[in-house]
Amino acid sequence: MTDLIRLSAAALADKLAAGEVSSVEATRAHLDRIADVDGDVHAFLHVSANALDVAADIDRRRAAGEALGVLAGVPLAIKDVLVTTDMPSTSGSKILEGYMSPFDATVVARSRAAGLVPLGKTNMDEFAMGSSTEHSAYGPTHNPWDFDRIPGGSGGGSAAAVAAFEAPLALGSDTGGSIRQPAHVTGTVGLKPTYGGVSRYGAIALASSLDQVGPVTRTVLDAGLLHDVIGGHDPHDSTSLAEAWPSFAEAAREGARGDVLKGLRLGVISELPDSGFQPGVSASFRSALAVMEAHGAEIVEISAPHFEYGVAAYYLVLPAEASSNLAKFDSVRFGLRVMPHANATVEDVMAATRDAGFGDEVKRRIILGTYALSAGYYDAYYGSAQKVRTLIQRDFDAAFTQVDVIATPSAPTTAFRLGEKIDDPLQMYLNDVTTIPANLAGVPGISIPSGLAEEDGLPVGIQFLAPAREDARLYRVGAALEAALVDSWGGPLLDRAPVLGAKGGVR
Ligand code: GLN
């Protein structure tokens, strides 16, 4: 069964369609893998009890000659920020422990309709606040490359599940980097779609103007296949874009076989501080650029003078929106209720519940956001942050008149050690310096593996950014570079993960 778990989703889908393997076999192989390794990895908060039944149903329908989706029968891990009717949805928080949603998130409903088999819900920083998954109320996830290191965050569970071959595909959410930064530190692929490209309905909101759901996978083609399933207009989400999207899987295939790097204008940001980047991250970035140049890309230095204010603006906009979104956890409508004493008023119950139910990072951001929104400070903080956001959008607009895509390292360092930054929120926040601008501007971004850092042998990702609505361009460029790099490595990067990835599989 080791072979089944190592297949890409595209390859597994082909075998399922050809009748060489059943969905029950594929699903069982992944459940076995979870049973073998998740005690060490802790990617999952909940493993589905009915995955095999769902898989058997797909097999029956296929045998009956029903026309099924391309990914029908392929297992899928789901970040616990996405609500599901048949499994608890906690968003990594105690306040939602055991919460069952009366409806499925649109992306989950679409995945089910396409015949994907939900394996379980993955671990995450509480309410998606964090870059390490250490803020989960249910304990951290461990990086499959080195169990003492963080898997990134907030979607560390989804990335670790995919990197540890516990699932071929996963869903994530990205508010400031939570798909791309975990992809970077685990040697996987993650894409944040254009804002409005994928429905947020049923994604437990962190910051509504920044949140996007997207795919976490081992290959660019797999990301495109999953994006094709979950994307497109949803009347339940008022910010959902109405347009028809091209096939992202097709774009990835085009990139892998075509000559898309020839003549590509690739922007590199001149202001990106070299100093904040780990040497191995910078070196991997530069060598990926050299590969692209060798394939005909033209490197163009561009200026994005306001990028450096992105983190500061984000940590006003995000807490402001989060403080408002999290007000609904009031002990009345959802989840936990703590009675502090027999004569407690509703305010006492609310306060005791929120005190017991929210972790430190969530409280920190609620306090920050409430302050930033308060009368007298609103213009100075929230208003200024929104102006900076506009300036960052203009930086992107100007840059995209000169280049087709922008490239940056996906994050400043490789996976740091568990515990290393947990007591230093600012250091934790600075992890997202290169991913946050895309959320502030609403443009799409992808992270794909660019190699290993020389000093620690850990994975590094390269990020590409494209204009809004040009997600297909990221699939083309990402798949083209992926093909060139995998070729030069003589196989996928994950084959070199010492702990769980090494061929032969389980430790
Ligand atoms: N690490 C960032 C934060 O803590 C991004 C989180 C996310 O994208 N959900 O807010």
Side-chain angles (χ1 to χ4, degrees):
M1 287 298 151
T2 308
D3 285 334
L4 284 184
I5 62 170
R6 299 194 70 93
L7 292 174
S8 69
L12 180 57
D14 284 347
K15 283 191 183 301
L16 287 159
E20 286 168 38
V21 56
S22 70
S23 178
V24 165
E25 286 170 318
T27 303
R28 186 172 293 131
H30 286 93
L31 291 172
D32 287 351
R33 177 67 167 179
I34 292 169
D36 282 347
V37 304
D38 210 52
D40 288 326
V41 180
H42 191 42
F44 285 88
L45 292 179
H46 182 90
V47 177
S48 171
N50 62 5
L52 287 172
D53 294 340
V54 173
D57 186 51
I58 297 292
D59 288 339
R60 254 192 310 276
R61 287 164 55 193
R62 195 187 301 278
E66 200 177 309
L68 299 170
V70 183
L71 290 175
V74 176
L76 170 74
I78 300 171
K79 186 177 180 182
D80 207 28
V81 74
L82 299 165
V83 300
T84 45
T85 51
D86 57 347
M87 295 181 273
S89 305
T90 70
S91 208
S93 182
K94 278 279 176 234
I95 212 160
L96 279 176
E97 191 162 14
Y99 170 69
M100 294 297 291
S101 167
F103 69 101
D104 275 331
T106 294
V107 292
V108 172
R110 288 184 181 177
S111 298
R112 292 195 211 273
L116 282 149
V117 180
L119 284 175
K121 306 293 289 286
T122 58
N123 199 12
M124 55 183 284
D125 286 295
E126 185 175 6
F127 289 111
M129 298 179 187
S131 304
S132 69
T133 315
E134 292 168 290
H135 292 306
S136 168
Y138 303 98
T141 296
H142 300 262
N143 191 318
W145 287 76
D146 177 346
F147 289 150
D148 293 332
R149 295 188 186 254
I150 60 107
S154 63
S158 281
V162 168
F165 303 96
E166 295 173 86
L169 299 171
L171 291 172
S173 69
D174 190 312
T175 304
S178 286
I179 288 175
R180 292 163 287 159
Q181 183 259 7
H184 163 93
V185 296
T186 56
T188 56
V189 173
L191 181 133
K192 181 201 89 73
T194 294
Y195 184 78
V198 173
S199 171
R200 291 181 297 108
Y201 183 68
I204 297 170
L206 169 52
S208 310
S209 75
L210 302 163
D211 298 344
Q212 268 299 284
V213 177
V216 180
T217 59
R218 290 192 291 265
T219 71
V220 175
L221 172 59
D222 284 0
L225 287 164
L226 185 54
H227 195 164
D228 285 342
V229 167
I230 60 173
H233 183 64
D234 177 13
H236 290 308
D237 174 356
S238 62
T239 59
S240 168
L241 295 169
E243 67 213 71
W245 297 85
S247 163
F248 299 120
E250 203 32 61
R253 286 196 184 97
E254 240 175 78
R257 63 171 177 253
D259 233 353
V260 303
L261 297 179
K262 191 167 274 164
L264 180 84
R265 295 170 307 162
L266 184 59
V268 175
I269 300 168
S270 54
E271 292 88 357
L272 261 195
D274 233 348
S275 55
F277 289 84
Q278 186 181 320
V281 170
S282 300
S284 178
F285 178 63
R286 277 194 298 270
S287 73
L289 293 184
V291 168
M292 296 180 81
E293 228 175 349
H295 281 77
E298 179 198 346
I299 313 284
V300 181
E301 203 163 285
I302 53 157
S303 173
H306 302 97
F307 262 41
E308 61 174 304
Y309 306 111
V311 173
Y314 174 88
Y315 278 99
L316 287 165
V317 173
L318 177 137
E321 293 186 21
S323 69
S324 160
N325 276 325
L326 296 183
K328 65 177 164 284
F329 300 104
D330 58 2
S331 77
V332 178
R333 287 175 285 188
F334 302 95
L336 187 72
R337 179 177 303 167
V338 175
M339 285 294 289
H341 51 82
N343 300 323
T345 64
V346 71
E347 282 83 7
D348 295 338
V349 176
M350 234 178 254
T353 300
R354 289 168 67 87
D355 185 33
F358 287 142
D360 288 350
E361 182 61 24
V362 174
K363 286 175 186 159
R364 188 179 293 131
R365 294 197 196 190
I366 289 174
I367 292 167
L368 201 64
T370 308
Y371 180 79
L373 288 177
S374 54
Y377 295 109
Y378 185 97
D379 285 338
Y381 295 118
Y382 186 71
S384 304
Q386 291 291 22
K387 286 180 190 156
V388 172
R389 189 171 185 176
T390 302
L391 293 173
I392 289 173
Q393 281 160 356
R394 288 185 190 156
D395 280 359
F396 273 115
D397 290 346
F400 287 129
T401 62
Q402 301 169 54
V403 298
D404 303 307
V405 294
I406 297 171
T408 75
S410 302
T413 70
T414 55
F416 46 91
R417 287 184 194 285
L418 287 159
E420 196 176 314
K421 297 189 179 176
I422 190 81
D423 296 323
D424 190 345
L426 194 58
Q427 279 310 310
M428 192 73 91
Y429 298 168
L430 287 171
N431 260 286
D432 300 308
V433 59
T434 58
T435 47
I436 277 173
N439 301 79
L440 289 171
V443 304
I446 191 172
S447 177
I448 72 163
S450 63
L452 302 178
E454 210 172 277
E455 57 273 31
D456 54 21
L458 291 167
V460 176
I462 182 169
Q463 172 182 238
F464 297 110
L465 304 168
R469 297 177 159 82
E470 294 296 335
D471 306 44
R473 198 179 291 174
L474 297 180
Y475 284 104
R476 265 184 232 111
V477 172
L481 177 61
E482 174 185 62
L485 288 176
V486 171
D487 220 34
S488 74
W489 299 329
L493 197 67
L494 274 166
D495 282 357
R496 292 197 256 161
V499 183
L500 290 172
K503 272 233 150 64
V506 191
R507 301 185 311 149

